[in-house]
Amino acid sequence: MKGLSNVNRILTGLVGAVSEAWAQLRIGRLRVLLSLVGVAVAVAAMTFVIALGQVTVSAVNRLNESHTGRPGTVSIMVSPTGKGTDASGDSDSSGSSSGSTPSGPGTSSGTSPDGPAGGTGAQAGSRPGLGAADVVRAQSSFVERYQVKAWATHYDQNLRVAFPSGGRTVHTQVVSLQYGILHHTDVAQGRWFSAEDADDLSPSIIVSQGFLEQLGLKRLTGPVQVRAYAPTPMTYTIVGVLKPEKRESCQTSGPDETPCAQPLMAMVLNTPYERMLPTNVERATPVLEIWAGQDGADQRVIELAKQDFNAAFGAGSTRAESNVDQGATTSSSSTFTKVVTIAGVCVMLMGVLGLVNISMVTVRQRIHEIGVRRAFGATSRRIFFSIMLESVVATVVAGVIGIGIAIVGMRLAPLETILRLPVPTRPPFPMSAALIGLAAATGVGALAGAVPALVAVRIRPIDAIRY
């Protein structure tokens, strides 16, 4: 009960001090308002810049992830060398290695939903008797053995597609079903691949906007079939269109500026594509991507991959790397936030000088009141906090107004034009930016209020009553 009584007394004193500070601000609201304009503007500018910096880092990270996968993704590339292995070339020998399971967000107690196929385009013919099919089987065994949940495969392939204007070569990625999840692939029209597409006799394909325009279409209103003649004659079904790229004008000056054409590219689902390929067509070795997370599990996955695949295909066959090094972007974002915060606080300190002058004048005008309060038992601490809280409450109000201005600015700002980066959806206002702005405003108010509060405390009650 005694502790509860102390808490109630502290809260009562705090609420009373804040109420008194607010009442004093209302008395001199015009003078205070004019002095706080600079603080509100500084908070708005600082919060807006911090929020814009965080949104920029998020957009850059998302752009990087579209190429290298989510942070913590391990890419495993295998080129059989046959060094140190027997002549049988049994790729399933990878199962004889240690069966310890790497822990991380990319692993689970269940088996993977789809089998690997596809790669970077490197050919797995270094050693006679071993090819892409052996690597695919070893990758499937690796995924099942370590119960990996978040993974995908891909490799590059050129398709010779028949367009109305003639045949053209299209750079194509042969990908597995989860590739779009690992790489945050944005589909502007249609949809991403589904599990049902694996059974189609006409392989599903997702194309770029440039590909669609070559067919004479602007929008994909339904499934469209297109014919390709290489590497083997095959009919594909377009189920989606990738988000168009933001491209600068081909000519940067003059009246004849024309936008650059969208790239000609496509993605095809590996399962039906591989099934339709004749046996005499040379196949590329797939790259296996595993999302292991950023808690160190990626290094364990790299060790296990080299251990298993080198044992199956020979020493030096495996190259595995993680994209965790992208964490440098987060580090630079933190440095940027610190610099902007320091600059904003300095600007606010200059704006608060006017509030300090007004507070000093107010204290001089209230000397008699302070003396009477001291005579009736008000402690020095109560006088100190009541004067200081006037500045704190004023700057907090200015900070809230500044944060509101920054939020409205972020909502109205054309982010893609400012950042020159793709921003698929307008992100929510970063809460950390608002908290930094509010904390900076509170801290500056406390510093500004400390000076007049110290002056008020040093006034002798007898002198104050005579004033």
Side-chain angles (χ1 to χ4, degrees), residues 95-152:
S96 63
S97 59
S98 172
S100 58
T101 303
S103 61
T107 60
S108 151
S109 60
T111 58
S112 175
D114 51 16
T120 58
Q123 303 302 322
S126 306
R127 180 187 170 194
L130 289 179
D134 300 290
V135 175
V136 169
R137 284 192 293 271
Q139 289 175 340
S140 180
S141 176
F142 183 87
V143 167
E144 292 176 2
R145 182 180 313 112
Y146 297 112
Q147 301 174 345
V148 179
K149 181 176 66 174
W151 64 280

Side-chain angles (χ1 to χ4, degrees), residues 21-80:
W22 179 249
Q24 291 296 329
L25 289 176
R26 293 181 62 186
I27 294 174
R29 56 181 177 271
L30 180 59
R31 292 177 299 177
V32 174
L33 178 64
L34 293 176
S35 65
L36 292 178
V37 169
V39 177
V41 171
V43 171
M46 181 184 70
T47 307
F48 179 84
V49 172
I50 292 176
L52 188 62
Q54 294 180 1
V55 170
T56 303
V57 171
S58 177
V60 170
N61 287 341
R62 188 178 180 89
L63 185 62
N64 291 337
E65 289 171 15
S66 67
H67 299 287
T68 63
R70 290 185 290 179
T73 298
V74 177
S75 299
I76 304 170
M77 292 144 281
V78 179
S79 297

Side-chain angles (χ1 to χ4, degrees), residues 84-85 90 93-94 96-97 305-315 318:
T85 60
D90 182 9
S93 62
S94 61
S96 63
S97 59
K306 290 182 177 180
Q307 173 183 291
D308 285 22
F309 291 114
N310 285 343
F313 300 104
T318 309

Side-chain angles (χ1 to χ4, degrees), residues 83-421:
K83 297 179 181 178
T85 60
D86 56 23
S88 65
D90 182 9
S91 63
D92 291 336
S93 62
S94 61
S96 63
S97 59
S98 172
S100 58
T101 303
S103 61
T107 60
S108 151
S109 60
T111 58
S112 175
D114 51 16
T120 58
Q123 303 302 322
S126 306
R127 180 187 170 194
L130 289 179
D134 300 290
V135 175
V136 169
R137 284 192 293 271
Q139 289 175 340
S140 180
S141 176
F142 183 87
V143 167
E144 292 176 2
R145 182 180 313 112
Y146 297 112
Q147 301 174 345
V148 179
K149 181 176 66 174
W151 64 280
T153 61
H154 67 89
Y155 69 91
D156 295 336
Q157 181 68 63
N158 288 328
L159 300 182
R160 187 68 180 177
V161 180
F163 291 104
S165 59
R168 294 190 63 178
T169 300
V170 178
H171 172 71
T172 305
Q173 277 191 308
V174 183
V175 302
S176 63
L177 189 59
Q178 294 193 68
Y179 181 89
I181 299 175
L182 285 185
H183 290 261
H184 294 296
T185 305
D186 293 319
V187 178
Q189 304 177 47
R191 60 174 176 83
W192 180 253
F193 301 120
S194 65
E196 290 76 14
D197 296 332
D199 299 325
D200 292 343
L201 296 178
S202 175
S204 298
I205 189 171
I206 296 175
V207 302
S208 64
Q209 183 66 32
F211 190 111
L212 194 67
E213 291 173 356
Q214 286 293 320
L215 294 174
L217 302 174
K218 291 295 184 181
R219 293 196 59 81
L220 183 69
T221 56
V224 176
Q225 290 192 330
V226 62
R227 186 72 175 170
Y229 297 99
T232 187
M234 194 180 304
T235 300
Y236 299 88
T237 301
I238 301 176
V239 297
V241 180
L242 298 172
K243 184 177 180 180
E245 295 183 6
K246 293 290 184 180
R247 305 178 71 85
E248 300 295 332
S249 297
C250 294
Q251 300 178 0
T252 57
S253 62
D256 299 327
E257 289 188 3
T258 56
C260 293
Q262 290 291 322
L264 200 62
M265 58 179 293
M267 292 181 175
V268 63
L269 186 61
N270 60 355
T271 309
Y273 174 80
E274 292 284 347
R275 187 175 60 246
M276 299 294 290
L277 281 181
T279 56
N280 61 344
V281 175
E282 190 174 19
R283 302 168 189 242
T285 306
V287 170
L288 174 62
E289 294 182 333
I290 296 175
W291 182 58
Q294 304 183 68
D295 56 355
D298 57 325
Q299 297 303 317
R300 180 58 176 159
V301 170
I302 291 174
E303 293 175 5
L304 291 174
K306 290 182 177 180
Q307 173 183 291
D308 285 22
F309 291 114
N310 285 343
F313 300 104
S317 298
T318 309
R319 182 163 63 92
E321 55 189 26
S322 172
N323 65 357
V324 173
D325 292 338
Q326 292 178 357
T329 306
T330 304
S331 176
S332 63
S333 169
S334 176
T335 303
F336 171 80
T337 300
K338 291 178 182 177
V339 171
V340 173
T341 302
I342 293 173
V345 169
C346 292
V347 173
M348 279 189 284
L349 285 174
M350 290 186 289
V352 156
L353 290 178
L355 181 61
V356 173
N357 292 332
I358 292 175
S359 298
M360 292 294 293
V361 172
T362 303
V363 168
R364 291 296 179 186
Q365 293 176 345
R366 297 171 58 193
I367 287 180
H368 185 76
E369 173 195 338
I370 293 172
V372 172
R373 292 178 60 185
R374 291 292 299 275
F376 277 88
T379 63
S380 299
R381 184 171 60 181
R382 178 62 183 271
I383 297 296
F384 178 87
F385 280 107
S386 65
I387 300 298
M388 186 183 72
L389 281 177
E390 292 180 17
S391 297
V392 173
V393 170
T395 54
V396 166
V397 171
V400 171
I401 295 173
I403 292 170
I405 295 173
I407 292 175
V408 173
M410 284 293 294
R411 284 290 156 195
L412 299 179
L415 296 181
E416 291 196 352
T417 303
I418 296 174
L419 303 179
R420 294 187 177 274
L421 290 171

